[in-house]
Amino acid sequence: MTYLRRLPKFEYVGARSVREVSDLLARRPDETRLLAGGTDLILQMRRREVAPRYLVGLKGVSELAFVRQQEDGGMTMGALTTFQDIETSPLIREKYGILSQTASQIGGVEIRGVATIGGNLMGAQPCSDFPAPLITLGAKVKLVGKDGERLVALEDFFPEYGRTVAAPDEILTEILLPATSKLSGGCYLKFHDRHAMDMTITGAAAFVTLNDDRQTCSELKIALSSSAPVPKRVKKAGAFLQGKKLTEDALEETAALACQEAEPRSSWRARREFRLELIRGLTKRAVRQAWEEVMATANGGRK
């Protein structure tokens, strides 16, 4: 582990708009970092993993803090939406409960009060918790830069370890989620050494949609945290249950396929073999709990 040191010297600039942020990034892209909640960036700076000359503060860009339902039944979150907002939002709890569940598992109330969804995604760390559940929901992100804006599927957002497809002058402004079926539900589970440390060893997200018969699977999406160099959707594992009922044998095969597609590594936190066993167990539990949530909702419960 790396010892924490004093922060290196830097110049702080408080931005007031997305356009101003993009302009500042374009001027000195290699020397500038964006500061939202700072829960990851400040630690990286104290470990000397990064030493930016300029920090652009986003606190004053109020247009990036919102949660809105869309006319088509989907939802949009601003990049400065905090984990606490995600955990407590009635709209998110009702429509995208997997996200509220994910937020509730991260750190303590102090961390959740300042950490932002945009920062979690732009950090591009495989151990970050939100990418996996957002991928199972079919999320897209909006990037805004000097040449305009574009949408990118979150599943394609992380080309390699520690990197996103965002250009040096682009800022992530929104996360867009499609509408969900009434016969759908999700679950995110993770394993970590101790809650105070809260570094995810391995996590599994599952989002299931049932057919109208309420017995067989229409679609299952599974994505993993800290199980590959990037947040990874395991497509073969998700496809296996399509058209099938939930049985122990089907769950075992789904989990086995997830292990085959995963690319865990050994580190000081956990050996590769241990992570594979975690993937197997967490995948089974996440799929089962997601399925049970759908059945409860279909029988008159609430998401």
Side-chain angles (χ1 to χ4, degrees):
M1 295 182 66
T2 304
Y3 290 103
L4 299 181
R5 301 160 64 183
R6 289 185 178 182
L7 285 171
K9 291 184 178 181
F10 61 88
E11 181 178 335
Y12 178 86
V13 182
R16 294 293 177 181
S17 68
V18 171
R19 174 63 65 85
E20 184 180 2
V21 173
S22 182
D23 289 343
L24 290 168
L25 283 174
R27 290 176 194 172
R28 303 179 182 90
D30 296 332
E31 300 179 290
T32 304
R33 297 293 294 269
L34 302 183
L35 179 66
T39 53
D40 288 329
L41 178 59
I42 296 301
L43 285 176
Q44 291 170 1
M45 292 173 65
R46 293 187 66 187
R47 296 187 190 115
R48 294 303 189 269
E49 296 169 357
V50 296
R53 186 175 176 184
Y54 302 96
L55 287 186
V56 177
L58 302 179
K59 185 176 181 180
V61 191
S62 57
E63 62 191 283
L64 296 182
F66 65 87
V67 176
R68 299 186 190 126
Q69 185 166 7
Q70 302 301 308
E71 292 183 0
D72 62 1
M75 186 189 74
T76 305
M77 288 187 290
L80 292 186
T81 302
T82 66
F83 294 177
Q84 182 178 5
D85 293 334
I86 294 172
E87 180 184 10
T88 59
S89 165
L91 174 61
I92 295 177
R93 282 188 172 183
E94 179 183 359
K95 300 292 186 180
Y96 306 93
I98 187 174
L99 299 182
S100 295
Q101 178 193 35
T102 301
S104 70
Q105 299 179 63
I106 301 175
V109 292
E110 298 89 349
I111 293 294
R112 295 198 292 271
V114 295
T116 64
I117 186 66
N120 193 254
L121 299 182
M122 287 299 294
Q125 295 299 309
C127 61
S128 295
D129 289 302
F130 272 108
L134 285 169
I135 286 172
T136 67
L137 290 170
K140 296 181 180 180
V141 296
K142 179 184 288 187
L143 300 173
V144 177
K146 58 184 177 57
D147 294 327
E149 62 184 48
R150 59 184 176 126
L151 293 179
V152 179
L154 189 61
E155 188 176 339
D156 303 321
F157 190 58
F158 308 100
E160 59 186 34
Y161 173 80
R163 195 170 70 85
T164 74
V165 299
D169 68 293
E170 286 184 319
I171 175 176
L172 189 158
T173 60
E174 299 177 14
I175 298 92
L176 297 86
L177 297 168
T180 59
S181 165
K182 293 181 179 179
L183 293 177
S184 66
C187 177
Y188 178 69
L189 299 174
K190 68 177 184 177
F191 178 86
H192 46 80
D193 290 332
R194 53 193 173 93
H195 195 71
M197 182 178 182
D198 200 54
M199 181 65 71
T200 297
I201 304 299
T202 296
F207 193 80
V208 63
T209 301
L210 299 186
N211 287 309
D212 290 339
D213 61 12
R214 302 184 181 184
Q215 299 293 320
T216 57
C217 175
S218 172
E219 184 180 45
L220 171 63
K221 292 183 179 181
I222 302 171
L224 306 174
S225 304
S226 203
S227 303
V230 298
K232 185 177 182 68
R233 181 180 170 192
V234 284
K235 296 182 180 180
K236 292 181 180 178
F240 177 78
L241 264 178
Q242 189 171 353
K244 297 181 176 68
K245 293 183 178 181
L246 183 69
T247 65
E248 285 302 317
D249 288 344
L251 271 179
E252 287 288 351
E253 182 62 23
T254 298
L257 289 170
C259 290
Q260 291 178 20
E261 293 181 80
E263 304 172 61
R265 68 182 181 92
S266 293
S267 71
W268 65 270
R269 293 191 179 94
R271 291 179 57 83
R272 179 179 184 277
E273 294 76 12
F274 181 53
R275 279 195 165 103
L276 285 171
E277 286 304 311
L278 289 174
I279 292 167
R280 186 185 306 277
L282 292 173
T283 297
K284 289 174 60 177
R285 288 173 54 199
V287 173
R288 182 185 291 114
Q289 290 186 33
W291 197 293
E292 290 173 351
E293 179 190 347
V294 180
M295 295 303 296
T297 303
N299 291 327
R302 294 185 62 189
K303 284 191 178 183

